[in-house]
Every structure is written in structure tokens, then in C-alpha cells.
Amino acid sequence: MLKSKASQNSLDQRNATRLRVLEHIRTKGSISRIDIASALQTSPATVTAATADLISAGLVRETEGEAHSRSAKRGRPRVLLQLDGPSYLVAGLKVARQVISVILVDFEGNEVTSHMYALQDARMSPRDFVRTVRLALEETCAKIDRTIDGLSGVSIGIAGLVDAERNFVHWSSSITERNVNFAAFLDEGLPCPAFIENDANLVAKAEQLFGLGKGLSNFLVVTIEHGVGLGIVLDGKLFRGNHGCGAEFGHAKVQLDGALCQCGQRGCLEAYVGDYALIREMTVAGQSSALETVSDIHDRAHAGDQRAISVLARAGQMFGLGLSNLINLFAPDCIILSGARVSFEHLCSDDVMARIRNGVVNVDTALPEIKVHHWGDLMWAKGAAAYGIEQVSILKVQEIAAHAS
């Protein structure tokens, strides 16, 4: 088994063709060889060779379609290709502060089972982090009488600065150390290929495949929970930046020498908008009694608490400032606000929209649509699973060439 990090950049031309064919079959669900050749503008012989390899690797299987002719006597059933769903089991995980959400999917992306694993510590050493991920996977696999040895890949989403190409974490609120190369820890602690990615990128992947970004070429996903993240899809592709350090919207500076951020710097957007920032602001005001979540702040604001109203209003104004900058930079089709919060109302108020309009360069066009999508950690995990399937596909295609040599 290959446990090296998957990379499309390392594929030769033949493997790149195999992967293109595989992903086209995934997109279409079931399709004939001749239709694949037409869609990819390649020769039928090339497609036939590629699909033969994919079938032998257990990635694709043949199935019968409708007959060529309307006459049952004269027509022969068409041979179609589709993914061999049960052949591979992939895990997607979203690591939050209090829980790890786990989902197991087959190779087609169909959910097999899911599980919520409670965390004792919000921040862990790299080795403890991997051990905890393993425990979460073991409990999840046990629900379907399987073991983690049967997993083909594991994809882990965490908040922070992540170089997904190298499984390298520059910084994360879940990890006690900085600049950690997780490749060795993952190889040591897990029996299958494992991949780490920024969780906001995985939400963008989930929105693109399953959610409000489906069919859109250019959109942004802003995640709001303990911190603030950003997933960017440009021309249908996820943008990460150099070394995975782009798209750090939460750490864009909105106030010179302002509030302290969990990253250690001051004036970051999430130091005014993130859950911890709102709760900290209320705590400083001496109103922390029975205050545990942002929902509690909303409840107080609805009850007329002026301090709560003020805290939420300032967060909204800072957020509006940040969104106007994003629109000026990317001019997206839409912006999706995603997270598990009960309410984003303070971030979508009329005052916030006015702040956005006032901060956007006036080109006499409407603002991009701003949508709110409440889906919990399990959907973040589904985005991780989608990324895991993508990476497993690359590794399995690489294995085809390795076995042939």
C-alpha cells in the first residue's frame, strides 16, 4: 500500500488520463466508454485502456444500461461504467473544540455511518492528536462491525494554517505546537493514508459538491464558529495560496493594535467576530454569569441587554468591513456564511449590509448574494470525506502504475 501524500502534480500523462476518466465517471454516475471519449476529447482506445486499468484496480465496474434499440429482440444492452462504491471505505473528520465529527462513506460518497466523539482537551500535542483521531475512528468503525484496518483513507479537517500538500500544520488552535510535519505522526498512528486540510477549505468543497455552491464557478465560503475561516473557489477550483497559507480571512487586520487574537497577533477580524471574542467582550463587561455560548448573548440582546446589543453590533460592523474587502478582491458570484451557530442575524442586519455597500467599490452592479447555510460539523466532515475520496483516487491511480512496473 502506498502511504505517501497524494498529489495530482506528480502524475504522469497516462495516470493523469486515468484520473480524468475516473473523475468523469464520478461526475456522470454511469456512462459509456464512447461517451467518455467524446466528453474528454480523446480516442476510444485510450479510454478503453484506462477503464480496463480502473476496473482491475476495483475503482470502476461495468453495468448494463438501456438497449441500443427500442426493440428488445434486436437491441443489445449498453455497457456503462460506474464507480465501484463498496470497494473502498473513506473517513472524513472535523475536529472542533469539544467534539470530533466522523463520517464514513463509500467510494461513491454515500454515507455508511457517522459518529460524534467527545473531546476532553481542545488543544493537544501532535502525537496525542493522532491518538485521539484513531480512537474516534475505532469507535466509528465498531458501529458497523469494521476495524480501521479496512479504511482506504482518512481526511482530517482542522482550523488553522495548513499546507495540505505536505500534511504540514503551521498553526492550529487544536495543536499545542507550531510548524508540525504531521506526515510521520500519521504514518505511525494510522494504518492507511491520511490527509490534513484546513476545515474552511473542506466546507467549500462540501458546498461545491453538495450545497449552495453547486454549479457556481466563483464563490466564497466564510465559516464562523470559534474562529473565522474562508474557503475560496475560483474557476471551479479550490484556492489555497502558497504553502496553504492563503485565505486567512479571520486574520485580516481590521484594527491597528486592536483586540488580541488567539493566533497571538492583534486586530484580527476573528478577534471581534469569533465566538470566543464575543464571549470575552461580555466577560470583560462583568456579564459572564451563566454565559456560555453566542446564543446566550443573542438571548440577552433580545431581552434588551444594551451591552449584548452593543457587542453584537460591533461584531456586525467589523464583519461588514471584512466582507466588503472580500467583494473588492474577488467579485464572487455569492458569499456563503456557514457554521453551526443558531443565529447569524447580527452579521446580516440592515446596518451590516449598509456597511458592506459603503465599502464596496461602486461599479453600478448589485452586491453578490449573501447566503446563510446552517449545517453542523457532520457536513464539515462530509467535505473532509470528499477530499479524502479525491486523494485516495490519486493514490490508487498511482498504484496502478506501480504494479505495472
Side-chain angles (χ1 to χ4, degrees):
M1 175 190 296
L2 293 176
K3 288 191 72 174
S4 58
K5 185 71 176 75
S7 174
Q8 291 191 24
N9 297 330
S10 64
L11 297 178
D12 60 24
Q13 183 174 354
R14 182 173 294 181
N15 275 339
T17 298
R18 291 168 178 146
L19 189 62
R20 286 180 66 213
V21 170
L22 179 65
E23 292 309 311
H24 193 70
I25 294 171
R26 181 183 303 283
T27 299
K28 295 299 181 181
S30 61
I31 188 173
S32 68
R33 290 174 175 82
I34 192 68
D35 288 339
I36 295 172
S38 176
L40 300 184
Q41 297 183 332
T42 189
S43 70
T46 297
V47 171
T48 297
T51 54
D53 292 336
L54 296 174
I55 290 172
S56 67
L59 297 168
V60 168
R61 63 184 178 88
E62 292 182 333
T63 183
E64 287 189 357
E66 296 180 356
H68 286 288
S69 168
R70 293 184 179 180
S71 168
K73 293 182 179 179
R74 296 176 54 194
R76 277 181 17 187
R78 300 179 68 198
V79 175
L80 303 179
L81 297 167
Q82 66 181 50
L83 297 179
D84 192 354
S87 59
Y88 297 106
L89 189 64
V90 177
L93 297 89
K94 151 69 174 174
V95 181
R97 292 183 62 79
Q98 296 178 324
V99 67
I100 297 179
S101 305
V102 188
I103 187 170
L104 301 184
V105 300
D106 66 16
F107 195 58
E108 291 182 282
N110 301 312
E111 180 178 340
V112 178
T113 192
S114 62
H115 181 57
M116 297 292 182
Y117 181 87
L119 286 176
Q120 294 183 342
D121 300 307
R123 303 183 73 231
M124 294 168 277
S125 70
R127 183 163 275 107
D128 286 341
F129 178 87
V130 175
R131 286 173 182 164
T132 303
V133 165
R134 184 183 180 104
L135 290 173
L137 289 169
E138 287 174 344
E139 286 192 8
T140 308
C141 289
K143 294 177 70 171
I144 55 171
D145 296 323
R146 300 279 289 271
T147 69
I148 62 172
D149 293 327
L151 294 175
S152 297
V154 174
S155 177
I156 306 164
I158 61 172
L161 300 169
V162 182
D163 185 347
E165 285 292 321
R166 297 188 294 143
N167 276 339
F168 189 95
V169 178
H170 297 278
W171 172 84
S172 171
S173 55
S174 296
I175 309 298
T176 56
E177 301 174 22
R178 301 178 73 100
N179 299 316
V180 179
N181 187 344
F182 264 89
F185 292 107
L186 294 171
D187 284 347
E188 174 189 327
L190 298 175
C192 63
F195 322 102
I196 290 186
E197 173 62 288
N198 171 271
D199 56 0
N201 285 341
L202 296 177
V203 176
K205 177 70 72 174
E207 291 285 7
Q208 183 182 36
L209 296 178
F210 319 116
L212 299 179
K214 195 170 185 178
L216 298 179
S217 296
N218 300 285
F219 67 92
L220 307 177
V221 177
V222 178
T223 61
I224 307 151
E225 47 169 6
H226 185 72
V228 177
L230 175 65
I232 303 172
V233 175
L234 300 177
D235 293 329
K237 298 179 180 179
L238 192 64
F239 174 80
R240 294 185 175 90
N242 193 28
H243 304 304
C245 292
E248 283 303 318
F249 180 49
H251 301 289
K253 302 303 180 283
V254 294
Q255 181 73 50
L256 181 64
D257 296 329
L260 182 64
C261 179
Q262 63 177 346
C263 74
Q265 296 186 342
R266 289 188 175 274
C268 297
L269 176 68
E270 76 171 40
Y272 297 92
V273 177
D275 287 3
Y276 73 90
L278 300 182
I279 294 171
R280 176 179 63 190
E281 188 76 3
M282 292 294 290
T283 301
V284 169
Q287 299 190 23
S288 60
S289 176
L291 183 65
E292 296 181 355
T293 68
V294 174
S295 293
D296 296 330
I297 302 177
H298 276 281
D299 291 342
R300 292 193 179 189
H302 290 153
D305 186 318
Q306 291 303 309
R307 182 63 185 182
I309 293 172
S310 174
V311 167
L312 294 177
R314 186 171 76 148
Q317 290 297 303
M318 290 294 192
F319 189 68
L321 175 64
L323 284 193
S324 66
N325 288 331
L326 287 182
I327 294 170
N328 287 334
L329 285 170
F330 295 103
D333 296 325
C334 82
I335 297 176
I336 303 168
L337 308 185
S338 184
R341 274 190 184 174
V342 174
S343 177
F344 287 108
E345 62 187 68
H346 67 291
L347 302 179
C348 303
S349 68
D350 291 341
D351 288 343
V352 173
M353 297 307 296
R355 166 73 76 172
I356 295 172
R357 282 191 293 270
N358 291 336
V360 171
V361 175
N362 187 0
V363 291
D364 296 325
T365 59
L367 291 176
E369 188 174 4
I370 298 175
K371 304 177 180 179
V372 175
H373 198 175
H374 290 296
W375 56 6
D377 287 341
L378 194 58
M379 287 306 298
W380 295 46
K382 192 170 184 180
Y387 177 65
I389 289 173
E390 179 182 278
Q391 296 302 301
V392 168
S393 298
I394 296 171
L395 286 179
K396 294 303 178 182
V397 165
Q398 289 174 333
E399 285 184 353
I400 293 173
H403 291 156
S405 61

